[in-house]
């Protein structure tokens, strides 16, 4: 711990959102935009979870793993984690089990409000001095208004990654759809919203059996009762095909699909 920040080591089994709330309560800042993401601390670096303009890799100092083959514990440095958009080395090193994550958090609050829905939330706010708790409250409010509760309706959260496409293709799409969302990555690539593509393809609420595209957030596929894994896969495949036919963009699953 220093005047500027703090290094905190958290066991992998800790519930993620409890840890986010705990960090804010201690005056350790950075994770507030990642509030209410379901899962554990140990899963966070595996997926390099992200939301509302922030990725967990921005705050990971190192990751402790157990190698089941060599029977040893060791720390993996950030440069070795191969962090990318919803990816990391831990997705491929199946002999590694994440046992703890060390976070580098700041004692100085630096709000990240660039994400459109979060920015819009505070546009007409009467809050005089914004706090991390305010951002956490906003994120929780936005998420609960758009995303189904997995305890009430089966889902795995965001099913597809937001695609990164060539800027030439993005310009072609924007000519037909002026509201096409574009976020520059570099001089040749932009990132866009998978949810926008799915909605524009007319698939909001579309169903295959009891597997459905959620009406409020088309990035989420839900089980309306008795959907099987095959139903979910058939629905996901149909979405990929329809989006590609209309926009020439192929959506990649964010979830990990395991078949036998």
């Amino acid at each position: 711990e220093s005047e500027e920040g703090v290094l905190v080591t958290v066991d992998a089994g800790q519930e993620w959102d409890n840890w986010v709330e705990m960090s804010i309560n201690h005056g350790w800042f950075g994770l507030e935009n990642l509030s209410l993401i379901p899962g554990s601390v140990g899963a966070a670096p595996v997926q390099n979870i992200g939301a509302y303009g922030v990725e967990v890799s921005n705050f990971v100092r190192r990751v402790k793993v157990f190698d089941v083959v060599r029977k040893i514990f060791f720390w993996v440095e950030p440069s070795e984690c191969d962090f990318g958009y919803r990816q990391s080395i831990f997705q491929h090193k199946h002999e590694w089990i994440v046992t703890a994550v060390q976070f580098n958090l700041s004692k100085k609050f630096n709000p990240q409000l660039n994400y459109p829905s979060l920015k819009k939330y505070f546009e007409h706010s009467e809050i005089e001095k914004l706090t991390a708790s305010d951002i956490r409250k906003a994120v929780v409010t936005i998420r609960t208004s758009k995303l189904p509760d997995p305890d009430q309706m089966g889902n795995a959260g965001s099913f597809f990654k937001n695609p990164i496409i060539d800027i030439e293709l993005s310009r072609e799409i924007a000519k037909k759809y002026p509201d096409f969302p574009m976020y520059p990555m570099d001089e040749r690539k932009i990132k866009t919203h998978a949810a926008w593509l799915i909605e524009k393809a007319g698939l909001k609420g579309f169903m295959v059996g009891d597997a459905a595209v959620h009406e409020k957030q088309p990035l989420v596929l839900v089980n309306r009762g008795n959907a099987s894994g095959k139903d979910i896969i058939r629905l996901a495949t149909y979405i990929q095909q329809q989006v590609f036919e209309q926009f020439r963009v192929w959506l990649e699953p964010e979830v990990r699909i395991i078949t036998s």
Side-chain angles (χ1 to χ4, degrees):
E1 186 172 4
S2 69
E3 292 183 2
E4 299 293 322
V6 61
L7 292 178
V8 187
T9 302
V10 186
D11 286 340
Q14 171 71 39
E15 200 273 330
W16 173 258
D17 193 51
N18 286 349
W19 156 234
V20 174
E21 184 176 31
M22 185 189 311
S23 68
I24 294 171
N25 290 340
H26 278 80
W28 305 332
F29 306 123
L31 303 179
E32 48 275 359
N33 290 45
L34 304 179
S35 293
L36 209 65
I37 295 178
S40 66
V41 167
V46 176
Q47 185 76 354
N48 187 18
I49 61 172
Y52 303 99
V54 173
E55 290 186 335
V56 75
S57 57
N58 301 139
F59 305 99
V60 172
R61 173 60 187 83
R62 54 183 183 166
V63 179
K64 190 175 184 180
V65 302
F66 178 70
D67 189 312
V68 298
V69 176
R70 295 186 290 163
K71 302 293 192 297
I72 59 171
F73 289 93
F74 59 95
W75 288 97
V76 182
E77 299 298 318
S79 60
E80 303 169 312
C81 289
D82 194 24
F83 284 129
Y85 176 57
R86 302 299 180 268
Q87 71 178 28
S88 74
I89 194 173
F90 309 108
Q91 295 175 348
H92 312 292
K93 288 285 189 178
H94 302 300
E95 69 274 23
W96 290 0
I97 298 173
V98 175
T99 61
V101 183
Q102 188 175 71
F103 296 90
N104 186 7
L105 302 179
S106 176
K107 288 184 178 180
K108 294 185 178 180
F109 177 51
N110 180 27
Q112 301 299 314
L113 301 175
N114 292 327
Y115 200 82
S117 59
L118 199 55
K119 187 176 182 179
K120 183 178 179 180
Y121 183 94
F122 288 108
E123 273 182 356
H124 305 293
S125 172
E126 296 181 357
I127 298 173
E128 292 184 3
K129 187 176 181 180
L130 190 68
T131 68
S133 294
D134 293 326
I135 290 185
R136 173 173 167 78
K137 181 181 178 181
V139 169
V140 169
T141 299
I142 294 168
R143 290 185 70 91
T144 52
S145 69
K146 294 170 56 178
L147 302 175
D149 184 343
D151 290 334
Q152 304 298 323
M153 182 182 293
N155 71 89
S158 299
F159 197 92
F160 296 104
K161 297 179 181 180
N162 285 328
I164 298 173
I165 65 175
D166 290 335
I167 196 165
E168 290 82 3
L169 176 57
S170 71
R171 288 169 178 165
E172 289 180 26
I173 297 172
K175 287 179 182 178
K176 186 175 181 181
Y177 300 95
D179 62 334
F180 179 58
M182 295 185 288
Y183 303 94
M185 302 295 291
D186 55 38
E187 293 181 354
R188 295 182 296 175
K189 300 286 186 180
I190 66 102
K191 183 187 287 186
T192 189
H193 291 163
W196 186 95
L197 294 167
I198 296 168
E199 181 173 355
K200 289 296 184 180
L203 296 173
K204 248 187 178 182
F206 184 82
M207 299 179 67
V208 172
D210 273 355
V213 179
H214 194 251
E215 295 92 342
K216 291 184 179 180
Q217 173 48 277
L219 195 55
V220 177
L221 307 188
V222 298
N223 184 345
R224 294 199 170 280
N226 298 303
S228 66
K230 291 181 180 179
D231 290 332
I232 299 292
I233 296 303
R234 281 198 292 268
L235 175 60
T237 301
Y238 182 78
I239 292 169
Q240 289 173 306
Q241 292 169 342
Q242 292 300 306
V243 168
F244 186 78
E245 286 182 14
Q246 188 160 334
F247 299 103
R248 290 190 291 136
V249 176
W250 186 257
L251 297 180
E252 294 184 15
E254 182 173 332
V255 300
R256 300 185 67 192
I257 299 172
I258 301 173
T259 59
S260 59

